Amino acid sequence: MREPRWHDEETGRHLRPYAITGGRTRHSRHNFSLITLVAARYVDDPGQGHLEPESVQILELCRNRAVAIAEIAAHLDLPVSVVKILCGDLLHASLILVQAPPGQEDRPSVEIIEKVMNAIRRL
């Protein structure tokens, strides 16, 4: 069985998720769903020396395409809650762009979908 990515190779000890997030269990300003898409704002290094290694990995993963929060967590082998907090930090620092999934108010009504389907059937 492979070690999770939050395993410190140098010391052989596990880093707890709260160590990665500075003890936070959620981001105070941003709330992401599992399907929120994340894209890095910069192709080149915008001075990432002050970022946690996991945040740098998120930026690298999202550099060429938008990636869902759940997919980031899977690629980096991190808990989704940790990825949400780190993405909130990156968004607050203007290093990423996010696209939230459409809300209920943005979805077409059942009546409109039925009208479209009926119009297609008449063609």
Side-chain angles (χ1 to χ4, degrees):
M1 183 174 152
R2 72 180 191 158
E3 293 290 337
R5 292 207 185 223
W6 58 86
H7 180 261
D8 186 349
E9 297 293 330
E10 293 177 18
T11 64
R13 298 166 67 187
H14 290 283
L15 296 174
R16 300 281 184 216
Y18 66 81
I20 296 171
T21 62
R24 297 172 294 160
T25 58
R26 67 179 68 124
H27 200 276
S28 61
R29 294 185 183 190
H30 308 290
N31 188 18
F32 302 105
S33 75
L34 292 175
I35 59 174
T36 297
L37 296 175
V38 177
R41 291 190 68 181
Y42 303 98
V43 176
D44 298 323
D45 182 358
Q48 301 170 359
H50 66 283
L51 296 176
E52 295 292 327
E54 295 82 7
S55 295
V56 173
Q57 289 176 324
I58 291 170
L59 291 175
E60 289 172 0
L61 183 62
C62 301
R63 180 163 282 137
N64 296 318
R65 67 180 180 95
V67 182
I69 293 285
E71 188 177 350
I72 294 169
H75 277 288
L76 301 183
D77 196 20
L78 288 171
V80 171
S81 58
V82 171
V83 171
K84 287 180 178 183
I85 293 168
L86 294 175
C87 284
D89 294 343
L90 292 170
L91 182 59
H92 184 67
S94 299
L95 294 174
I96 61 170
L97 300 170
V98 297
Q99 180 179 357
Q104 189 68 20
E105 66 279 354
D106 295 330
R107 296 179 185 164
S109 68
V110 173
E111 294 81 24
I112 291 176
I113 293 172
E114 288 175 347
K115 288 180 183 179
V116 170
M117 290 175 59
N118 289 337
I120 291 172
R121 287 185 189 120
R122 287 192 293 258
L123 291 177

